[in-house]
Amino acid sequence: MKTEIISKNTLLEHWLGHRNLTRQTIDRFPEEELFNFKVEGMRPFAAMVKELLGIAVPGLQEIVDNKSGELDENLNYSTKAQLLQAWDEATPQIIELFGKIPEERFTEEFNLFGQYKSPIIHSILYFIDNEIHHRGQGYVYLRLLGIEPPFFWERE
Amino acid sequence: MKTEIISKNTLLEHWLGHRNLTRQTIDRFPEEELFNFKVEGMRPFAAMVKELLGIAVPGLQEIVDNKSGELDENLNYSTKAQLLQAWDEATPQIIELFGKIPEERFTEEFNLFGQYKSPIIHSILYFIDNEIHHRGQGYVYLRLLGIEPPFFWERE
């Protein structure tokens, strides 16, 4: 027991703020380019978003159930509206599942997706960092398309 | 006093791992492109790295001194070797300054650079998130240059 530098709820709020910004980023893409525009050697932004969706709720569910499963990022969303709807539906699930992880478990090891064994806090920071990483890439895609990305600090 | 979800030292190690990856990313750029290649509406990767250098140590120094200063990201580095040296010199300073912030202060408000008033933990998460964001952009620059970026999970 120590003075905590960040509470569980503050970390969740921080992630949800990032998710708001990612949602705005998805929304800036024209439908066609969201699914088809890409830089050589990379994926379209929609594929990155499917990866994020395949990680967040399923990853938290595994942690809550304390039972490893398989990573599936090939989700069947083919329109921007479907992708945004999936994004919005994930939000209350993230809030509920995150809330079910007791503080004591964050420092415990868990074998995420049966292949990434690390303390739970590392997995959760990975979820957030990976989202920021891919969204940063989405910003460059938008710029290449001549579209202004949302402000990085707009999290509401 | 609660069971902490992440210790101060784990957060520092997490950041240092990201800094290692950012260093590798800088190093992948050819010198000319590091300072001159950019996408319309954006800056060259070297300018983003200067921003990161202008934030990390000066930001932590302000927090430790509990005294707001001014943000200066126009640093005079004009070669890749200078940039990498500055990056490496910042590392022990980050370790030292971060270590001087008592756990109790992370939830306190501080007016970073005289303009960003928020709990200190938010400022520190911003330092890390902003680095991940710009590094993700650097990855796309590398791909546009036909260069493979480092693996995202390589933090050593």
Side-chain angles (χ1 to χ4, degrees):
Chain A
M1 299 280 278
K2 282 190 183 175
T3 300
E4 61 184 9
I5 59 169
I6 183 167
S7 71
K8 191 178 122 176
N9 197 51
T10 301
L11 181 61
L12 174 62
E13 291 295 333
H14 182 70
W15 186 9
L16 295 176
H18 275 301
R19 290 191 84 259
N20 282 338
L21 180 58
T22 305
R23 190 193 194 284
Q24 293 179 57
T25 308
I26 299 167
D27 204 23
R28 294 272 167 126
F29 275 82
E31 178 129 4
E32 165 70 19
E33 283 76 6
L34 180 59
F35 287 89
N36 295 305
F37 178 81
K38 65 187 179 78
V39 162
E40 179 73 30
M42 297 183 66
R43 297 167 291 169
F45 191 56
M48 301 184 200
V49 173
K50 287 183 202 175
E51 175 192 307
L52 302 177
L53 286 167
I55 287 175
V57 171
L60 289 173
Q61 188 72 58
E62 286 194 4
I63 293 168
V64 167
D65 297 343
N66 210 5
K67 188 169 179 304
S68 292
E70 270 185 35
L71 177 61
D72 177 14
E73 53 189 76
N74 293 313
L75 307 173
N76 266 333
Y77 305 120
S78 53
T79 67
K80 180 165 143 177
Q82 285 173 353
L83 213 52
L84 287 174
Q85 194 188 332
W87 195 261
D88 291 340
E89 286 172 359
T91 307
Q93 297 181 63
I94 288 171
I95 294 169
E96 191 191 339
L97 291 166
F98 191 96
K100 286 184 177 169
I101 309 169
E103 272 88 351
E104 293 73 25
R105 287 199 62 212
F106 280 73
T107 47
E108 278 179 19
E109 289 222 329
F110 177 73
N111 192 23
L112 193 78
F113 298 119
Q115 50 182 322
Y116 307 105
K117 195 171 180 180
S118 70
I120 287 170
I121 181 66
H122 282 219
S123 294
I124 290 172
L125 290 176
Y126 180 86
F127 300 167
I128 303 170
D129 295 349
N130 188 49
E131 176 171 337
I132 300 169
H133 174 71
H134 286 309
R135 188 183 57 219
Q137 299 182 322
Y139 271 46
V140 187
Y141 280 18
L142 285 173
R143 289 287 186 187
L144 286 167
L145 294 165
I147 298 165
E148 181 136 5
F151 290 119
F152 184 60
W153 54 89
E154 287 279 359
R155 308 283 169 85
E156 301 300 322
Chain B
M1 297 282 278
K2 283 193 182 172
T3 301
E4 61 184 8
I5 60 169
I6 183 167
S7 70
K8 189 177 124 176
N9 197 51
T10 301
L11 182 61
L12 174 61
E13 290 296 334
H14 181 71
W15 187 9
L16 295 176
H18 274 300
R19 292 190 84 259
N20 282 338
L21 181 59
T22 305
R23 190 194 194 283
Q24 293 178 58
T25 308
I26 300 167
D27 204 23
R28 293 272 167 125
F29 275 82
E31 178 129 5
E32 165 69 18
E33 282 78 5
L34 180 59
F35 287 88
N36 295 307
F37 178 80
K38 65 187 179 77
V39 162
E40 180 70 30
M42 297 182 66
R43 298 167 291 170
F45 191 57
M48 302 183 200
V49 173
K50 287 183 201 175
E51 177 192 306
L52 302 176
L53 286 167
I55 288 174
V57 171
L60 289 174
Q61 187 73 59
E62 286 193 4
I63 293 168
V64 167
D65 296 344
N66 209 4
K67 187 169 179 303
S68 293
E70 271 185 36
L71 176 62
D72 178 13
E73 53 189 74
N74 294 313
L75 307 172
N76 266 334
Y77 305 119
S78 53
T79 67
K80 180 165 144 176
Q82 285 173 352
L83 213 51
L84 287 173
Q85 192 187 334
W87 196 260
D88 292 339
E89 286 173 358
T91 307
Q93 297 180 63
I94 287 171
I95 294 169
E96 190 190 340
L97 291 167
F98 191 96
K100 285 186 178 169
I101 308 169
E103 272 88 350
E104 293 74 25
R105 286 199 63 212
F106 280 72
T107 47
E108 279 179 17
E109 289 221 329
F110 177 73
N111 193 22
L112 192 77
F113 298 119
Q115 51 183 321
Y116 306 107
K117 194 170 180 180
S118 70
I120 286 169
I121 181 65
H122 282 219
S123 294
I124 289 171
L125 290 177
Y126 181 86
F127 300 168
I128 302 171
D129 295 348
N130 188 49
E131 178 171 336
I132 300 168
H133 173 71
H134 287 309
R135 189 183 56 218
Q137 300 183 321
Y139 271 47
V140 187
Y141 280 17
L142 285 172
R143 290 287 186 186
L144 287 166
L145 294 165
I147 298 165
E148 182 136 6
F151 290 119
F152 184 60
W153 54 88
E154 289 277 1
R155 308 283 169 84
E156 301 300 322

